Amino acid sequence: MPTSDLMSSGLRRLWAALPHARGRVAATAPAGEGDHSVLDLIVETQREIAAAGADVDAVMQLVLARSQALTGADGAMVSLVEGDELLTRAASGISAGLVGRRRPLRETVARFAIEGGVPLLISDCETDPRINRELQTLTGDKSLICVPLF
């Protein structure tokens, strides 16, 4: 498969970065000076993704690093939808041990974000019925953001 087709296919299937936090996920930076630095980081991220070009692994690593930086999360993961499964391709922090893990898409919180086509914020993983308890036990998630990337 040509590199451009591989990139297009890979990025289409790159569905989400999941920043995990032991505490409450910070949705935005504090008002004032922090707003400018968050915007700078977002713009810098866009430039770096464009520079990564066809290197899907480099893009996934960048998404991990920046999602943690923007949210203050304890970890992050990037997974791909492969048929009826979700495959964790990259992870950091408290999620690092999940790389290579496959699970049925129907048993993941990601399916709700994918079906809705919008980011999903879960502020209390302990009480949310959409959470996969096995995965939560492995990561210690208290809250999370699931962002589908199409």
Side-chain angles (χ1 to χ4, degrees):
M1 176 181 288
T3 303
S4 61
D5 290 344
L6 179 63
M7 181 187 85
S8 175
S9 170
L11 290 180
R12 248 183 285 163
R13 295 180 327 179
L14 178 67
W15 71 268
L18 294 171
H20 300 278
R22 293 188 192 279
R24 187 170 178 85
V25 174
T28 60
E33 221 174 281
D35 292 342
H36 185 20
S37 63
V38 169
L39 182 58
D40 289 345
L41 190 56
I42 291 169
V43 170
E44 181 181 337
T45 301
Q46 290 173 323
R47 287 186 188 128
E48 290 181 7
I49 287 174
D55 188 346
V56 176
D57 289 326
V59 171
M60 286 190 279
Q61 292 302 317
L62 180 61
V63 168
L64 289 176
R66 294 303 162 81
S67 62
Q68 277 192 263
L70 288 167
T71 63
D74 293 330
M77 77 170 83
V78 177
S79 299
L80 301 178
V81 174
E82 292 189 351
D84 293 337
E85 292 185 316
L86 200 60
L87 169 63
T88 300
R89 284 280 308 272
S92 62
I94 64 173
S95 303
L98 300 175
V99 174
R101 184 180 179 93
R102 291 181 178 275
R103 54 206 182 279
L105 180 60
R106 72 182 178 283
E107 295 176 10
T108 68
V109 71
R111 80 176 171 102
F112 296 101
I114 294 168
E115 289 170 359
V118 296
L120 174 65
L121 170 64
I122 296 180
S123 59
D124 184 3
C125 289
E126 296 291 326
T127 62
D128 197 297
R130 298 170 291 186
I131 295 297
N132 177 311
R133 297 296 166 210
E134 178 187 353
L135 192 61
Q136 181 192 13
T137 299
L138 291 172
T139 61
D141 289 340
K142 299 296 182 200
S143 60
L144 65 83
I145 300 171
C146 182
V147 182
L149 303 174
F150 299 104

